[in-house]
Amino acid sequence: WHTVKAPNQPITSKHNAGAEYLKGHGVDAVVNLPSDDFFTAGYFDFLAGALESGRDMVRFESLFFCDLPAQKALYARSLYNACGLMLSAEVMDKAGWRPWTEGKTHATDAFLLQNVKKHIKNPLVVPDTMDYGFVGVEFKTGDNLNAYAELEAGLADQKPVSMQDMLSHFSLGEWPLYWNKRPRKRVKKKSTAH
């Protein structure tokens, strides 16, 4: 792992600092995967295959959105979502390895997509990830830039789903860390001293 230290705000400046760091490290592509987003197994294999076949951008139009405190979820299309977005090194070169508009904290995905659009020659837009055998989930906990209620009000083609249905797409070992951090009862160990 490599760590790049940058101020957390504004978000786009932080993202650009991380992307610019990758410039000199010989990467083939960059994947936008914020800390509240998760994908099931097969996701990176799918991206690698797309890159190998000459795709310079992969974007997913559908994913699960989960309000973790309220224990509710929906599956929806998001035309300006950049969760899981893959950009080839060639596209990143053309964008100067700083594809986010500087100084922005909201609508960061929309700015990113707008800025790289002119550099993309062979995109792959995936309308429904479930057709390809994996899914993405964007978890909302109350500490996110975009609240679940905002997403619920503005996303197209919504389908409410149960938490169990959403999590059924993950194997036990893949369950996102947010889910595994539920409070557990502490058990006192008995002393074995004689």
Side-chain angles (χ1 to χ4, degrees):
W1 292 94
H2 294 255
T3 303
V4 178
K5 294 192 180 216
N8 199 39
Q9 297 289 333
I11 297 291
T12 54
S13 300
K14 175 178 73 170
H15 290 331
N16 279 334
E20 193 169 49
Y21 172 82
L22 294 172
K23 180 180 180 180
H25 286 81
V27 300
D28 297 320
V30 173
V31 178
N32 181 47
L33 196 57
S35 61
D36 60 351
D37 300 333
F38 298 88
F39 279 86
T40 56
Y43 161 70
F44 284 106
D45 290 337
F46 178 83
L47 293 179
L51 187 65
E52 287 173 11
S53 71
R55 300 295 186 164
D56 57 0
M57 186 272 293
V58 177
R59 188 172 73 78
F60 308 106
E61 286 190 336
S62 60
L63 63 153
F64 287 101
F65 294 89
C66 173
D67 183 338
L68 205 52
Q71 294 289 292
K72 64 182 186 174
L74 58 88
Y75 191 74
R77 285 186 67 214
S78 176
L79 300 179
Y80 298 104
N81 179 51
C83 165
L85 176 77
M86 182 204 75
L87 297 171
S88 70
E90 183 179 322
V91 169
M92 293 297 290
D93 280 339
K94 291 176 183 173
W97 290 84
R98 296 182 70 80
W100 282 271
T101 301
E102 284 293 328
K104 302 294 182 183
T105 300
H106 293 286
T108 59
D109 288 356
F111 285 115
L112 170 63
L113 294 170
Q114 184 63 38
N115 292 344
V116 298
K117 186 166 63 173
K118 63 185 172 222
H119 305 303
I120 295 167
K121 304 293 182 231
N122 192 17
L124 173 60
V125 177
V126 178
D128 191 338
T129 58
M130 284 196 263
D131 291 342
Y132 292 86
F134 61 90
V135 298
V137 180
E138 187 168 310
F139 283 96
K140 300 300 177 186
T141 62
D143 292 331
N144 307 85
L145 289 177
N146 301 305
Y148 183 86
E150 292 173 39
L151 295 170
E152 197 172 28
L155 291 171
D157 302 327
Q158 293 182 28
K159 175 186 166 194
V161 295
S162 70
M163 292 291 288
Q164 186 168 350
D165 182 44
M166 182 195 65
L167 291 171
S168 72
H169 295 278
F170 289 87
S171 69
L172 186 58
E174 294 178 314
W175 277 11
L177 294 177
Y178 286 131
W179 187 254
N180 289 329
K181 288 185 178 177
R182 291 179 295 164
R184 294 188 173 95
K185 287 184 179 178
R186 293 187 131 205
V187 178
K188 285 188 175 183
K189 291 185 179 182
K190 292 183 180 180
S191 175
T192 56
H194 298 329

Short mmCIF file of all heavy atoms in Angstrom, two decimals, residues 108-159:
data_model
loop_
_atom_site.label_atom_id
_atom_site.label_comp_id
_atom_site.label_asym_id
_atom_site.label_seq_id
_atom_site.Cartn_x
_atom_site.Cartn_y
_atom_site.Cartn_z
N THR A 108 -18.89 15.86 -7.25
CA THR A 108 -17.54 15.51 -7.68
C THR A 108 -17.55 14.51 -8.84
O THR A 108 -16.73 14.61 -9.74
CB THR A 108 -16.71 14.95 -6.51
OG1 THR A 108 -17.37 13.80 -5.98
CG2 THR A 108 -16.55 15.99 -5.42
N ASP A 109 -18.49 13.55 -8.82
CA ASP A 109 -18.58 12.57 -9.91
C ASP A 109 -18.94 13.25 -11.22
O ASP A 109 -18.36 12.95 -12.27
CB ASP A 109 -19.61 11.49 -9.60
CG ASP A 109 -19.16 10.53 -8.50
OD1 ASP A 109 -18.01 10.64 -8.03
OD2 ASP A 109 -19.96 9.66 -8.12
N ALA A 110 -19.90 14.16 -11.18
CA ALA A 110 -20.33 14.86 -12.40
C ALA A 110 -19.18 15.67 -12.99
O ALA A 110 -18.97 15.67 -14.21
CB ALA A 110 -21.52 15.76 -12.10
N PHE A 111 -18.40 16.36 -12.13
CA PHE A 111 -17.26 17.13 -12.63
C PHE A 111 -16.21 16.21 -13.25
O PHE A 111 -15.65 16.52 -14.30
CB PHE A 111 -16.62 17.96 -11.50
CG PHE A 111 -17.42 19.17 -11.11
CD1 PHE A 111 -17.97 19.27 -9.85
CD2 PHE A 111 -17.61 20.21 -12.01
CE1 PHE A 111 -18.70 20.39 -9.48
CE2 PHE A 111 -18.33 21.33 -11.65
CZ PHE A 111 -18.89 21.42 -10.38
N LEU A 112 -15.94 15.10 -12.60
CA LEU A 112 -14.96 14.14 -13.13
C LEU A 112 -15.39 13.65 -14.51
O LEU A 112 -14.60 13.68 -15.46
CB LEU A 112 -14.81 12.96 -12.17
CG LEU A 112 -14.01 11.77 -12.68
CD1 LEU A 112 -12.56 12.15 -12.96
CD2 LEU A 112 -14.08 10.63 -11.66
N LEU A 113 -16.63 13.19 -14.63
CA LEU A 113 -17.11 12.66 -15.91
C LEU A 113 -17.07 13.72 -17.00
O LEU A 113 -16.70 13.43 -18.14
CB LEU A 113 -18.52 12.10 -15.75
CG LEU A 113 -18.63 10.85 -14.86
CD1 LEU A 113 -20.09 10.53 -14.56
CD2 LEU A 113 -17.93 9.67 -15.50
N GLN A 114 -17.45 14.94 -16.67
CA GLN A 114 -17.42 16.03 -17.64
C GLN A 114 -15.99 16.32 -18.11
O GLN A 114 -15.73 16.53 -19.29
CB GLN A 114 -18.04 17.30 -17.04
CG GLN A 114 -18.14 18.46 -18.01
CD GLN A 114 -19.05 18.16 -19.18
OE1 GLN A 114 -20.08 17.53 -19.05
NE2 GLN A 114 -18.65 18.61 -20.35
N ASN A 115 -15.04 16.31 -17.19
CA ASN A 115 -13.65 16.65 -17.52
C ASN A 115 -12.96 15.61 -18.38
O ASN A 115 -12.06 15.95 -19.15
CB ASN A 115 -12.85 16.88 -16.24
CG ASN A 115 -13.30 18.11 -15.50
OD1 ASN A 115 -13.99 18.97 -16.05
ND2 ASN A 115 -12.93 18.20 -14.24
N VAL A 116 -13.30 14.34 -18.24
CA VAL A 116 -12.61 13.30 -19.01
C VAL A 116 -13.34 12.92 -20.30
O VAL A 116 -12.76 12.24 -21.15
CB VAL A 116 -12.37 12.03 -18.16
CG1 VAL A 116 -11.48 12.34 -16.96
CG2 VAL A 116 -13.66 11.36 -17.73
N LYS A 117 -14.55 13.37 -20.47
CA LYS A 117 -15.38 12.98 -21.62
C LYS A 117 -14.65 13.16 -22.95
O LYS A 117 -14.68 12.28 -23.80
CB LYS A 117 -16.69 13.77 -21.59
CG LYS A 117 -17.69 13.36 -22.63
CD LYS A 117 -19.07 13.92 -22.38
CE LYS A 117 -19.11 15.43 -22.45
NZ LYS A 117 -20.48 15.95 -22.38
N LYS A 118 -13.99 14.27 -23.13
CA LYS A 118 -13.33 14.58 -24.41
C LYS A 118 -12.12 13.68 -24.68
O LYS A 118 -11.66 13.60 -25.81
CB LYS A 118 -12.94 16.04 -24.45
CG LYS A 118 -11.91 16.43 -23.40
CD LYS A 118 -11.65 17.93 -23.41
CE LYS A 118 -10.79 18.29 -22.22
NZ LYS A 118 -11.22 19.50 -21.58
N HIS A 119 -11.59 13.01 -23.66
CA HIS A 119 -10.40 12.18 -23.83
C HIS A 119 -10.72 10.70 -24.07
O HIS A 119 -9.84 9.92 -24.39
CB HIS A 119 -9.51 12.28 -22.59
CG HIS A 119 -9.13 13.68 -22.23
ND1 HIS A 119 -8.48 14.52 -23.10
CD2 HIS A 119 -9.32 14.38 -21.09
CE1 HIS A 119 -8.28 15.69 -22.51
NE2 HIS A 119 -8.79 15.63 -21.28
N ILE A 120 -11.98 10.32 -23.92
CA ILE A 120 -12.36 8.91 -23.98
C ILE A 120 -12.70 8.53 -25.43
O ILE A 120 -13.50 9.18 -26.08
CB ILE A 120 -13.55 8.64 -23.04
CG1 ILE A 120 -13.09 8.87 -21.60
CG2 ILE A 120 -14.09 7.23 -23.24
CD1 ILE A 120 -14.22 8.95 -20.61
N LYS A 121 -12.06 7.47 -25.90
CA LYS A 121 -12.26 7.01 -27.28
C LYS A 121 -13.01 5.68 -27.38
O LYS A 121 -13.69 5.42 -28.35
CB LYS A 121 -10.90 6.87 -27.99
CG LYS A 121 -10.07 8.13 -27.99
CD LYS A 121 -10.71 9.22 -28.81
CE LYS A 121 -9.84 10.46 -28.83
NZ LYS A 121 -10.53 11.65 -28.48
N ASN A 122 -12.85 4.80 -26.39
CA ASN A 122 -13.45 3.47 -26.45
C ASN A 122 -14.07 3.10 -25.10
O ASN A 122 -13.56 2.23 -24.38
CB ASN A 122 -12.39 2.44 -26.87
CG ASN A 122 -13.01 1.11 -27.24
OD1 ASN A 122 -14.21 0.99 -27.49
ND2 ASN A 122 -12.18 0.08 -27.27
N PRO A 123 -15.20 3.74 -24.76
CA PRO A 123 -15.81 3.51 -23.44
C PRO A 123 -16.66 2.24 -23.39
O PRO A 123 -17.13 1.75 -24.41
CB PRO A 123 -16.70 4.74 -23.26
CG PRO A 123 -17.12 5.07 -24.65
CD PRO A 123 -15.92 4.76 -25.52
N LEU A 124 -16.84 1.76 -22.19
CA LEU A 124 -17.80 0.69 -21.92
C LEU A 124 -18.68 1.18 -20.78
O LEU A 124 -18.20 1.42 -19.67
CB LEU A 124 -17.10 -0.61 -21.51
CG LEU A 124 -18.01 -1.75 -21.05
CD1 LEU A 124 -19.00 -2.16 -22.16
CD2 LEU A 124 -17.18 -2.95 -20.61
N VAL A 125 -19.97 1.37 -21.08
CA VAL A 125 -20.93 1.77 -20.06
C VAL A 125 -21.80 0.56 -19.77
O VAL A 125 -22.42 0.00 -20.68
CB VAL A 125 -21.78 2.97 -20.54
CG1 VAL A 125 -22.82 3.34 -19.51
CG2 VAL A 125 -20.88 4.16 -20.84
N VAL A 126 -21.81 0.14 -18.53
CA VAL A 126 -22.54 -1.05 -18.10
C VAL A 126 -23.84 -0.62 -17.43
O VAL A 126 -23.82 -0.07 -16.33
CB VAL A 126 -21.68 -1.88 -17.11
CG1 VAL A 126 -22.45 -3.10 -16.63
CG2 VAL A 126 -20.37 -2.28 -17.76
N PRO A 127 -25.00 -0.82 -18.12
CA PRO A 127 -26.27 -0.40 -17.53
C PRO A 127 -26.64 -1.16 -16.26
O PRO A 127 -27.17 -0.58 -15.33
CB PRO A 127 -27.29 -0.68 -18.63
CG PRO A 127 -26.51 -0.87 -19.88
CD PRO A 127 -25.16 -1.34 -19.47
N ASP A 128 -26.35 -2.46 -16.20
CA ASP A 128 -26.76 -3.27 -15.05
C ASP A 128 -25.64 -4.25 -14.71
O ASP A 128 -25.41 -5.22 -15.43
CB ASP A 128 -28.04 -4.02 -15.36
CG ASP A 128 -28.67 -4.66 -14.14
OD1 ASP A 128 -27.96 -4.89 -13.14
OD2 ASP A 128 -29.87 -4.94 -14.18
N THR A 129 -24.93 -3.99 -13.60
CA THR A 129 -23.81 -4.84 -13.22
C THR A 129 -24.22 -6.27 -12.95
O THR A 129 -23.44 -7.20 -13.17
CB THR A 129 -23.08 -4.29 -11.98
OG1 THR A 129 -24.02 -4.19 -10.91
CG2 THR A 129 -22.46 -2.94 -12.26
N MET A 130 -25.46 -6.49 -12.52
CA MET A 130 -25.91 -7.86 -12.23
C MET A 130 -25.87 -8.73 -13.47
O MET A 130 -25.71 -9.94 -13.38
CB MET A 130 -27.30 -7.86 -11.59
CG MET A 130 -27.25 -7.44 -10.13
SD MET A 130 -28.75 -7.85 -9.22
CE MET A 130 -29.62 -6.30 -9.31
N ASP A 131 -25.98 -8.12 -14.65
CA ASP A 131 -25.87 -8.88 -15.90
C ASP A 131 -24.47 -9.43 -16.10
O ASP A 131 -24.26 -10.33 -16.89
CB ASP A 131 -26.24 -7.99 -17.10
CG ASP A 131 -27.71 -7.63 -17.14
OD1 ASP A 131 -28.53 -8.30 -16.46
OD2 ASP A 131 -28.05 -6.67 -17.86
N TYR A 132 -23.50 -8.87 -15.38
CA TYR A 132 -22.11 -9.29 -15.52
C TYR A 132 -21.61 -10.07 -14.32
O TYR A 132 -20.43 -10.37 -14.22
CB TYR A 132 -21.22 -8.05 -15.76
CG TYR A 132 -21.48 -7.42 -17.10
CD1 TYR A 132 -22.49 -6.48 -17.26
CD2 TYR A 132 -20.72 -7.77 -18.21
CE1 TYR A 132 -22.74 -5.90 -18.50
CE2 TYR A 132 -20.96 -7.20 -19.45
CZ TYR A 132 -21.98 -6.27 -19.58
OH TYR A 132 -22.23 -5.71 -20.80
N GLY A 133 -22.49 -10.36 -13.37
CA GLY A 133 -22.14 -11.23 -12.26
C GLY A 133 -21.53 -10.56 -11.04
O GLY A 133 -20.95 -11.23 -10.20
N PHE A 134 -21.62 -9.26 -10.94
CA PHE A 134 -21.16 -8.58 -9.73
C PHE A 134 -22.04 -7.36 -9.49
O PHE A 134 -22.78 -6.94 -10.37
CB PHE A 134 -19.68 -8.17 -9.84
CG PHE A 134 -19.38 -7.22 -10.95
CD1 PHE A 134 -19.44 -5.86 -10.75
CD2 PHE A 134 -19.04 -7.69 -12.21
CE1 PHE A 134 -19.17 -4.98 -11.77
CE2 PHE A 134 -18.78 -6.82 -13.25
CZ PHE A 134 -18.84 -5.46 -13.03
N VAL A 135 -21.96 -6.82 -8.28
CA VAL A 135 -22.74 -5.63 -7.95
C VAL A 135 -21.88 -4.67 -7.14
O VAL A 135 -20.88 -5.06 -6.54
CB VAL A 135 -24.02 -5.95 -7.13
CG1 VAL A 135 -24.96 -6.83 -7.92
CG2 VAL A 135 -23.69 -6.58 -5.79
N GLY A 136 -22.30 -3.43 -7.13
CA GLY A 136 -21.67 -2.40 -6.30
C GLY A 136 -22.69 -1.89 -5.29
O GLY A 136 -23.90 -1.92 -5.55
N VAL A 137 -22.18 -1.45 -4.16
CA VAL A 137 -23.04 -0.90 -3.11
C VAL A 137 -22.41 0.39 -2.62
O VAL A 137 -21.21 0.44 -2.34
CB VAL A 137 -23.18 -1.86 -1.91
CG1 VAL A 137 -24.09 -1.25 -0.85
CG2 VAL A 137 -23.69 -3.22 -2.33
N GLU A 138 -23.23 1.42 -2.52
CA GLU A 138 -22.79 2.68 -1.92
C GLU A 138 -23.50 2.78 -0.58
O GLU A 138 -24.72 2.91 -0.52
CB GLU A 138 -23.15 3.85 -2.83
CG GLU A 138 -22.58 5.16 -2.34
CD GLU A 138 -22.68 6.26 -3.37
OE1 GLU A 138 -22.27 6.04 -4.53
OE2 GLU A 138 -23.16 7.34 -2.99
N PHE A 139 -22.73 2.69 0.51
CA PHE A 139 -23.29 2.72 1.85
C PHE A 139 -23.39 4.15 2.36
O PHE A 139 -22.45 4.94 2.22
CB PHE A 139 -22.41 1.91 2.82
CG PHE A 139 -22.59 0.45 2.69
CD1 PHE A 139 -21.73 -0.30 1.89
CD2 PHE A 139 -23.62 -0.20 3.34
CE1 PHE A 139 -21.89 -1.66 1.76
CE2 PHE A 139 -23.78 -1.56 3.21
CZ PHE A 139 -22.93 -2.30 2.42
N LYS A 140 -24.52 4.47 2.96
CA LYS A 140 -24.74 5.77 3.58
C LYS A 140 -24.89 5.55 5.08
O LYS A 140 -25.68 4.70 5.51
CB LYS A 140 -25.99 6.45 3.01
CG LYS A 140 -25.89 6.69 1.52
CD LYS A 140 -24.70 7.58 1.19
CE LYS A 140 -24.53 7.78 -0.29
NZ LYS A 140 -23.31 8.51 -0.59
N THR A 141 -24.11 6.30 5.86
CA THR A 141 -24.12 6.12 7.32
C THR A 141 -24.50 7.37 8.08
O THR A 141 -24.57 7.36 9.28
CB THR A 141 -22.73 5.68 7.80
OG1 THR A 141 -21.80 6.73 7.48
CG2 THR A 141 -22.29 4.38 7.16
N GLY A 142 -24.70 8.46 7.39
CA GLY A 142 -24.97 9.74 8.03
C GLY A 142 -23.78 10.67 7.95
O GLY A 142 -23.90 11.87 8.17
N ASP A 143 -22.60 10.14 7.63
CA ASP A 143 -21.38 10.95 7.50
C ASP A 143 -20.95 11.09 6.05
O ASP A 143 -19.77 11.25 5.77
CB ASP A 143 -20.23 10.32 8.29
CG ASP A 143 -20.46 10.37 9.79
OD1 ASP A 143 -21.14 11.31 10.24
OD2 ASP A 143 -19.97 9.48 10.49
N ASN A 144 -21.88 11.01 5.12
CA ASN A 144 -21.55 11.03 3.71
C ASN A 144 -21.82 12.41 3.09
O ASN A 144 -22.60 13.19 3.63
CB ASN A 144 -22.37 9.98 2.95
CG ASN A 144 -22.24 8.62 3.59
OD1 ASN A 144 -22.95 8.30 4.52
ND2 ASN A 144 -21.30 7.83 3.10
N LEU A 145 -21.20 12.67 1.95
CA LEU A 145 -21.45 13.92 1.25
C LEU A 145 -22.89 14.00 0.76
O LEU A 145 -23.51 15.04 0.82
CB LEU A 145 -20.51 14.05 0.05
CG LEU A 145 -19.04 14.29 0.36
CD1 LEU A 145 -18.23 14.31 -0.92
CD2 LEU A 145 -18.87 15.58 1.13
N ASN A 146 -23.39 12.91 0.23
CA ASN A 146 -24.76 12.86 -0.28
C ASN A 146 -25.58 11.94 0.61
O ASN A 146 -25.27 10.76 0.72
CB ASN A 146 -24.79 12.35 -1.72
CG ASN A 146 -23.96 13.22 -2.64
OD1 ASN A 146 -24.17 14.42 -2.71
ND2 ASN A 146 -23.00 12.62 -3.31
N ALA A 147 -26.61 12.47 1.20
CA ALA A 147 -27.46 11.67 2.07
C ALA A 147 -28.32 10.71 1.26
O ALA A 147 -28.64 10.97 0.09
CB ALA A 147 -28.36 12.59 2.90
N TYR A 148 -28.70 9.61 1.89
CA TYR A 148 -29.55 8.61 1.24
C TYR A 148 -30.85 9.25 0.74
O TYR A 148 -31.29 8.97 -0.37
CB TYR A 148 -29.84 7.48 2.23
CG TYR A 148 -30.67 6.36 1.64
CD1 TYR A 148 -30.06 5.32 0.95
CD2 TYR A 148 -32.05 6.33 1.80
CE1 TYR A 148 -30.81 4.28 0.41
CE2 TYR A 148 -32.80 5.29 1.27
CZ TYR A 148 -32.18 4.28 0.58
OH TYR A 148 -32.92 3.25 0.04
N ALA A 149 -31.44 10.13 1.52
CA ALA A 149 -32.71 10.77 1.13
C ALA A 149 -32.55 11.57 -0.16
O ALA A 149 -33.45 11.57 -1.01
CB ALA A 149 -33.22 11.66 2.26
N GLU A 150 -31.40 12.23 -0.33
CA GLU A 150 -31.15 12.98 -1.57
C GLU A 150 -31.08 12.03 -2.76
O GLU A 150 -31.63 12.31 -3.82
CB GLU A 150 -29.82 13.74 -1.48
CG GLU A 150 -29.79 14.88 -0.51
CD GLU A 150 -28.38 15.45 -0.38
OE1 GLU A 150 -27.66 15.55 -1.39
OE2 GLU A 150 -28.00 15.78 0.75
N LEU A 151 -30.39 10.91 -2.57
CA LEU A 151 -30.28 9.93 -3.64
C LEU A 151 -31.64 9.33 -3.97
O LEU A 151 -32.02 9.19 -5.13
CB LEU A 151 -29.31 8.82 -3.25
CG LEU A 151 -27.86 9.25 -3.06
CD1 LEU A 151 -27.05 8.13 -2.44
CD2 LEU A 151 -27.25 9.70 -4.37
N GLU A 152 -32.37 8.98 -2.94
CA GLU A 152 -33.69 8.38 -3.10
C GLU A 152 -34.62 9.31 -3.89
O GLU A 152 -35.42 8.86 -4.70
CB GLU A 152 -34.28 8.10 -1.71
CG GLU A 152 -35.43 7.15 -1.69
CD GLU A 152 -35.82 6.78 -0.25
OE1 GLU A 152 -35.59 7.58 0.68
OE2 GLU A 152 -36.33 5.69 -0.08
N ALA A 153 -34.48 10.61 -3.69
CA ALA A 153 -35.33 11.58 -4.37
C ALA A 153 -34.90 11.83 -5.81
O ALA A 153 -35.72 12.22 -6.64
CB ALA A 153 -35.31 12.91 -3.60
N GLY A 154 -33.63 11.57 -6.14
CA GLY A 154 -33.15 11.95 -7.46
C GLY A 154 -32.70 10.86 -8.40
O GLY A 154 -32.33 11.14 -9.54
N LEU A 155 -32.71 9.61 -7.98
CA LEU A 155 -32.21 8.53 -8.83
C LEU A 155 -33.31 7.97 -9.73
O LEU A 155 -34.47 7.86 -9.34
CB LEU A 155 -31.63 7.40 -7.98
CG LEU A 155 -30.34 7.75 -7.25
CD1 LEU A 155 -29.98 6.63 -6.28
CD2 LEU A 155 -29.20 7.99 -8.22
N ALA A 156 -32.91 7.57 -10.93
CA ALA A 156 -33.85 7.01 -11.90
C ALA A 156 -34.01 5.51 -11.71
O ALA A 156 -33.13 4.84 -11.17
CB ALA A 156 -33.35 7.30 -13.31
N ASP A 157 -35.12 4.99 -12.17
CA ASP A 157 -35.37 3.54 -12.21
C ASP A 157 -35.08 2.85 -10.88
O ASP A 157 -34.37 1.85 -10.83
CB ASP A 157 -34.55 2.88 -13.33
CG ASP A 157 -34.84 3.46 -14.69
OD1 ASP A 157 -35.99 3.87 -14.92
OD2 ASP A 157 -33.91 3.50 -15.52
N GLN A 158 -35.63 3.37 -9.81
CA GLN A 158 -35.40 2.81 -8.47
C GLN A 158 -36.23 1.55 -8.24
O GLN A 158 -37.35 1.45 -8.68
CB GLN A 158 -35.83 3.80 -7.40
CG GLN A 158 -35.01 5.03 -7.33
CD GLN A 158 -35.49 5.92 -6.21
OE1 GLN A 158 -36.05 5.46 -5.22
NE2 GLN A 158 -35.29 7.21 -6.36
N LYS A 159 -35.61 0.63 -7.52
CA LYS A 159 -36.32 -0.57 -7.09
C LYS A 159 -35.94 -0.82 -5.64
O LYS A 159 -34.79 -1.17 -5.34
CB LYS A 159 -35.89 -1.76 -7.95
CG LYS A 159 -36.49 -3.06 -7.51
CD LYS A 159 -35.90 -4.22 -8.31
CE LYS A 159 -36.25 -5.52 -7.63
NZ LYS A 159 -35.46 -6.63 -8.14
#
